[in-house]
Amino acid sequence: MPDSFTTTVLNITTGTAESVTDLTRACEEFLTRTAPGRDGLLNVFVPHATAGIAVLETGAGSDDDLLASLHHLLPADDRWQHRHGSPGHGRDHVLPALVPPHATLPVIGGRLELGTWQSVCLVESRVTNLDNCGACAERSMADPFGAVQYARCLPEAVASQGSSS
């Protein structure tokens, strides 16, 4: 059995617009603290019904392309059965079926083994009902070397970006 499991909760302020937030640096810092030189898997999980974790290129337009694609696939209109909140909010609850709320990433020698242009990102499509996010429940996910990473989105007025162990 590996060492005890380690968890870090990231408080991510997503604001009032749809967003793709790069978590790669936070994941790397977590691994530097908790798994120097070790091989294994890093689990990244967002405990929320309207957000997901994606591995993609950022900064060259792919993040905007992802949000545009989600708009095309999941229009914000009144077709959704899930109707609380603003019109079209039901689409936000379908997002995790397309962009899952988790990613399991290889770690070799204590470093993320990502492709040259890959980043680990939090995808948040919800722009209303932000106060609901603070009620997210934390869940534990185990992995072979004990590293667990959470991303939690919080209302802009309540949170500041940072991490705690």
Side-chain angles (χ1 to χ4, degrees), residues 53-85:
I53 301 294
V55 177
L56 76 155
E57 179 180 5
T58 59
S62 295
D63 37 355
D64 292 330
D65 289 341
L66 173 61
L67 293 175
S69 296
L70 291 172
H71 270 284
H72 178 73
L73 293 169
L74 305 170
D77 58 23
D78 63 356
R79 73 182 69 198
W80 306 100
Q81 298 300 309
H82 184 100
R83 292 185 185 266
H84 78 84

Side-chain angles (χ1 to χ4, degrees), residues 69-159:
S69 296
L70 291 172
H71 270 284
H72 178 73
L73 293 169
L74 305 170
D77 58 23
D78 63 356
R79 73 182 69 198
W80 306 100
Q81 298 300 309
H82 184 100
R83 292 185 185 266
H84 78 84
S86 63
H89 176 61
R91 77 180 284 272
D92 302 325
H93 288 273
V94 176
L95 172 78
L98 301 176
V99 181
H102 59 86
T104 301
L105 307 164
V107 177
I108 298 176
R111 298 178 54 115
L112 281 175
E113 189 66 21
L114 295 173
T116 302
W117 305 112
Q118 289 181 315
S119 296
V120 182
C121 298
L122 171 70
V123 179
E124 172 65 81
S125 67
R126 185 182 49 152
V127 296
T128 59
N129 300 322
L130 291 177
D131 59 329
N132 292 340
C133 206
C136 300
E138 296 174 24
R139 292 172 177 78
S140 181
M141 296 175 63
D143 70 72
F145 75 51
V148 179
Q149 183 91 20
Y150 292 98
R152 171 180 281 175
C153 53
L154 293 175
E156 186 170 35
V158 175

